[in-house]
Structures are given as C-alpha cells and as structure tokens.
Amino acid sequence: MTSQEVFKDFTLPEGNGAKVCVGGGAGFIGSHIAKRLKANGYKVIVVDWKKNEFMEDDEFCDEFIMGDLRKLEVAVKSCEGCAQVYNLAADMGGMGFIVSNESVLSFNNTAISMNMLEAARRNKVKDFFYSSSACVYNEAKQEDPQNPGLIESDAWPARPQDMYGL
C-alpha cells in the first residue's frame, strides 16, 4: 500500500451553521481547530478556563465560555444544542510540572474527560472527538531510535510515559 493510498486529502464539510463545542479551545491546537471550523460555517462554542493569548475570541469562535470543565454543569451547558463536541481540554504544563503534580493532573483530566462525555450524552451529541498524547505509547517504543513512528497497536503492552500518558 502506498502513502498516497493511506493518506488521503481531507476536506472539512461545510458546517451550515451546525453548533459545535470545542473544550480547551483557547489552547494552541484547540483554537486552530475552532478557527477552521468557524471558517467552514460551523457555529463554534469554545469553553476553557483561560483566554487565548494570541487571538481575539471572534477570530476563532462565535461564543467563548470562561469555565472549568471539571464541573459537570459547565460541560453540560457548553454542549447544549451541539451536533459535535471536540475535547482538547486538559490540565497540563511542562514535563517538570507534570511529574511533580501527577495525582492532581490525573484527577483533573479524568474529571474533564468524564464530564465532557457525560455532557455530550445528556445533550444527545452525535459526534465526539477525544484527543490524546503520544505519551500514551509504550515509553520504550518512544525511545527506540529504530522505531520510525508510532502506530495504534504500539500502545499495547501499556507502559505510558508518566501519568500524562494515562
């Protein structure tokens, strides 16, 4: 199979005003996904506990909700009327911060993920996108210079890099 057969061009469908929620949409990746969705005609609701430092709200979303997704009521309200939910929200920082705050980050990120899933379920959201990290892959495979790239089956047997990979 050639790379042309594996990697096909992606065209984002027109949104036609469909409402979507981007959890963590003020972050680098989230804001760029939100901006692309908005440009394609989606009504984009971003919920985050911080503002984007590099873009004004109207550049990447139609509505910005300053909220803490560790609280179920914030997640439920943010997903109201949405056809799709993109969850990129996470409590994170540099590796030094992550290593010294593993239990707090594990608790916070589990709460965020569970609340967004439950909010989507309660609001009968059709599609849910969950992003993750390369840190979920077996750490030995990440460090192997002979491994040209990670694929889904490399995530097992599990040996994630720190708690961040869970």
Side-chain angles (χ1 to χ4, degrees):
M1 185 173 276
T2 68
S3 63
Q4 288 293 65
E5 293 170 316
V6 174
F7 298 107
K8 299 179 180 150
D9 288 337
F10 173 76
T11 303
L12 182 64
E14 288 296 317
N16 299 317
K19 188 175 174 185
V20 299
C21 176
V22 182
F28 179 76
I29 297 170
S31 63
H32 284 82
I33 289 174
K35 185 176 182 178
R36 177 81 185 272
L37 288 164
K38 183 177 176 179
N40 272 57
Y42 292 84
K43 181 178 180 189
V44 179
I45 310 304
V46 163
V47 58
D48 209 317
W49 57 20
K50 69 177 186 87
K51 296 289 262 179
N52 185 293
E53 299 175 42
F54 305 101
M55 285 189 252
E56 296 298 322
D57 292 353
D58 63 359
E59 293 180 64
F60 66 100
C61 66
D62 296 289
E63 180 183 347
F64 182 85
I65 298 172
M66 178 72 78
D68 184 347
L69 290 169
R70 293 174 298 179
K71 298 177 181 174
L72 179 58
E73 64 273 14
V74 172
V76 170
K77 180 174 176 14
S78 301
C79 294
E80 283 177 359
C82 290
Q84 299 173 341
V85 170
Y86 298 79
N87 185 32
L88 293 100
D91 187 2
M92 58 164 293
M95 285 311 291
F97 176 79
I98 291 167
V99 170
S100 29
N101 292 282
E102 287 183 340
S103 63
V104 172
L105 295 175
S106 180
F107 179 87
N108 288 347
N109 291 330
T110 300
I112 290 167
S113 295
M114 294 305 298
N115 287 343
M116 289 298 282
L117 280 167
E118 176 61 12
R121 185 191 70 80
R122 287 186 186 186
N123 284 293
K124 298 178 176 37
V125 172
K126 182 176 174 268
D127 300 308
F128 189 93
F129 173 81
Y130 178 82
S131 69
S132 188
S133 164
C135 294
V136 303
Y137 291 103
N138 186 308
E139 191 169 19
K141 291 190 178 188
Q142 292 182 57
E143 295 170 347
D144 180 1
Q146 301 302 311
N147 186 359
L150 299 165
I151 57 175
E152 192 169 341
S153 61
D154 288 340
W156 193 260
R159 190 178 152 225
Q161 179 182 346
D162 303 313
M163 286 294 291
Y164 188 73
L166 288 178

